[in-house]
Every structure is written in structure tokens, then in C-alpha cells.
Amino acid sequence: MHSDHGDVHASVRKYFMIGAALLIFTGITVAANLMHLAIPLAITVALAIAITKASMVAAVFMHLSDEKKWIYGALLLTVVFFIVLMSVPSFTNMDSIGRHEPAIGGGEHPAGH
Amino acid sequence: MNIPYTVEIRPDTGLANGKLGIWLFLASEVMLFGALFSTYIILRNGAAEWPHGELSVPLGAINTVILISSSVTMVMAWASLKMNDWAKHRLYLIATFVLAALFLVNKYFEYSDHLAKGEGPWHSTFLAIYFTLTGLHGLHIVGGMIVMAYFIGPGAKLWRANADQFANRIEYTGLYWHFVDLVWIFLFPVLYLL
């Protein structure tokens, strides 16, 4: 963390530069939306830009590029649990695993699909 | 009674207690919003069709610009304290507060437009998750504004009594505020554009 006056003074220009970059990325996100890309590509582009912007906020404004190991440790745990949380939608598909297979020796189709 | 390690660094963590505390709080916030984003994915994947163009992209984009600008003013409010410039700190903190209020005014217009057309959270799955996510985010904006109002008003006197502790409090407020900005960075494309 920047505690020394000289360091903070040097960072001021960086804060404004990052702010400007975030605004430019917002413009790119809106412009990409106007191009009416296919949904999978639109999702990829929008999320890639959002992740880039979020990384800039976290690294520079929240000073995560220069933090103590306890904070990195807490965030590592958060990331692990966040990945589990984001995997929940995939887990819901597991309910149907095995139910789409035709019965052995027959050509029956399971109900519901 | 003195609360230990508000300014001085704890030898075992290498941090002031407040710093670790706010990060642990933000970790819990990641899980809160993460659960709702996860719900959004399940609802969207399970929906036969998903509406597009129901929300005003210009208003959403303006709110994104407002929140990004408020993040810059917030970090500058802290940096000004570190450079012992009290007047600039006040200016930047008040600017952050005003930008937060502007965000809520925009949100009010958006909400009232939908509600006037009878499009409340009960209207569709999309609007249900839209109002839930943006409503919770809006509550976080209000929470941040209350804290900022305190430091603009009665909390400001701590600067004279203990400048380092005051600067730390502004830093923790900033960390929270940047997180609120960070959540909106994902909400905007997910709800307004995709």
C-alpha cells in the first residue's frame, strides 16, 4: 500500500489514466453491443471487457497490485468459493445425467424431453 | 478504552485490523452477489426465451460513467489526505457523494418508467432478477452514501484528533466503494446488453 507522500503523488496520474481507460472500455462495450454480434460472441466480448475493467479497478484503485499476503490469502479462498458458486448452474444439469440414455435393449425415450 | 491496531500495524498480519476486516467483509459480499449472478445464469438457461432491449442502454451507460468517475474521485479523496490536502479531500469526497446521488436519481427514473408500465418484478423472470440485482446494488450505494455523509459531516473531526486513523477510514470506505463500482461493471453488460 502506498503510505508515503511521494508514492501517492506519483500515483495520482495513474488514477486518472485508469479512470480514462475504464471510460474508453465502457464505450467499447456499448459499441460492441451496437454491432449485434451472435449471442455467444457477444457474451464473450462483454465479459472479457468487464473482467479487464474489474481487474483494473481491483489492481489500481483497490491497490491489490501491492498488498499483504493475508489479503491475498483471504481473496484466494473467496475465488475458490466463487468458482464453486458459479459452477452451481452446471451442477443443476447433473440432475438429468443418465436419464437421456435409451433403455438397454429397447429404443424408448425418457419422458420429459 | 483504546481499540488496538486502528493505525499501527499488527505484527502477525502486517495490517491494521480495519484493513483485514473490510477485505473479509468484501469477501462475504462477493459470495452474496455471486449467489445472485449464479441464480441469474440458472434462470436464463432455463428460460424458453430471454428478453432483449427491455432496459435503456444509454441510461445504463451513463450510470456506468457516473460510477467509474465516482471511483476516481473516491481514490483521490484518499490520496489527497495522504498528501495532507484537506480542501481537496473534501472536494473529492463531496463529488463522490454527489455522483452516487446522481446514480440513484437515474435509477429512480428507470424504476419509475418500468413501474408506470406495470413492469414490476412480478412481470417476468427477467424483471424479477433485474430488480433484485439492481435493488441490492442500489442499497449498497445508499449504504456508501451514509458512510460518506458521516465523513463529510460529524466524522470529519477525527482528522484533527488522529489524521492517520481518519485516512485509514477513508481508505476502507474507498475499498467498499470500488467494490460497489466493480459489481456494476458486471451488472451493466449482463442486464442491459446481453
Side-chain angles (χ1 to χ4, degrees):
Chain A
M1 178 88 235
H2 306 279
S3 50
D4 153 73
H5 293 200
D7 280 353
V8 174
H9 211 274
S11 297
V12 166
R13 186 180 155 82
K14 188 167 67 179
Y15 296 145
F16 283 106
M17 297 280 281
I18 291 294
L22 289 169
L23 294 179
I24 290 167
F25 275 120
T26 302
I28 294 172
T29 310
V30 175
N33 179 59
L34 294 174
M35 291 167 70
H36 301 293
L37 303 169
I39 292 287
L41 183 60
I43 290 175
T44 308
V45 170
L47 288 185
I49 296 173
I51 289 168
T52 307
K53 286 166 72 180
S55 306
M56 290 161 86
V57 170
V60 180
F61 291 162
M62 299 171 93
H63 304 120
L64 269 185
S65 57
D66 181 22
E67 263 304 350
K68 297 285 188 294
K69 64 179 181 184
W70 272 76
I71 288 174
Y72 290 137
L75 286 178
L76 184 66
L77 267 180
T78 310
V79 168
V80 169
F81 283 108
F82 184 77
I83 289 170
V84 172
L85 208 51
M86 286 297 116
S87 306
V88 168
S90 307
F91 297 158
T92 59
N93 294 331
M94 290 179 183
D95 288 349
S96 54
I97 286 177
R99 291 200 303 185
H100 296 283
E101 294 295 324
I104 296 168
E108 311 163 28
H109 294 281
H113 281 282
Chain B
M1 180 187 138
N2 275 340
I3 301 172
Y5 305 114
T6 51
V7 174
E8 65 277 25
I9 300 301
R10 257 183 90 112
D12 50 358
T13 61
L15 295 159
N17 278 352
K19 182 75 162 285
L20 187 58
I22 191 74
W23 273 109
L24 291 175
F25 170 69
L26 293 182
S28 75
E29 290 280 274
V30 168
M31 303 315 287
L32 174 64
F33 279 100
L36 286 171
F37 273 111
S38 189
T39 306
Y40 166 87
I41 295 169
I42 291 173
L43 290 174
R44 183 163 179 167
N45 281 343
E49 54 182 39
W50 197 254
H52 286 280
E54 284 215 1
L55 304 177
S56 163
V57 174
L59 266 184
I62 289 168
N63 264 353
T64 308
V65 170
I66 288 172
L67 271 196
I68 287 171
S69 306
S70 76
S71 256
V72 175
T73 53
M74 189 72 228
V75 77
M76 283 307 299
W78 168 78
S80 303
L81 284 180
K82 288 291 182 183
M83 293 185 288
N84 281 320
D85 194 334
W86 177 250
K88 269 194 180 169
H89 158 75
R90 298 280 294 172
L91 192 70
Y92 281 122
L93 193 59
I94 291 168
T96 312
F97 183 88
V98 170
L99 287 166
L102 266 178
F103 179 93
L104 288 182
V105 168
N106 267 348
K107 214 81 214 107
Y108 166 78
F109 283 125
E110 266 194 285
Y111 277 7
S112 52
D113 185 44
H114 280 290
L115 294 173
K117 289 188 274 186
E119 295 174 351
W122 57 85
H123 188 259
S124 66
T125 307
F126 169 73
L127 284 171
I129 195 74
Y130 161 75
F131 275 104
T132 305
L133 277 166
T134 57
L136 183 67
H137 181 264
L139 283 177
H140 280 74
I141 297 273
V142 172
M145 286 177 74
I146 292 170
V147 175
M148 279 183 248
Y150 174 73
F151 288 124
I152 291 167
K157 61 181 178 225
L158 180 64
W159 173 250
R160 286 188 184 169
N162 191 337
D164 286 335
Q165 192 179 1
F166 183 78
N168 279 356
R169 286 184 174 185
I170 294 296
E171 183 187 0
Y172 308 151
T173 309
L175 286 172
Y176 169 83
W177 194 251
H178 301 314
F179 174 79
V180 172
D181 178 24
L182 207 143
V183 170
W184 183 259
I185 282 173
F186 285 99
L187 282 180
F188 173 58
V190 164
L191 294 174
Y192 288 75
L193 304 179
L194 298 177

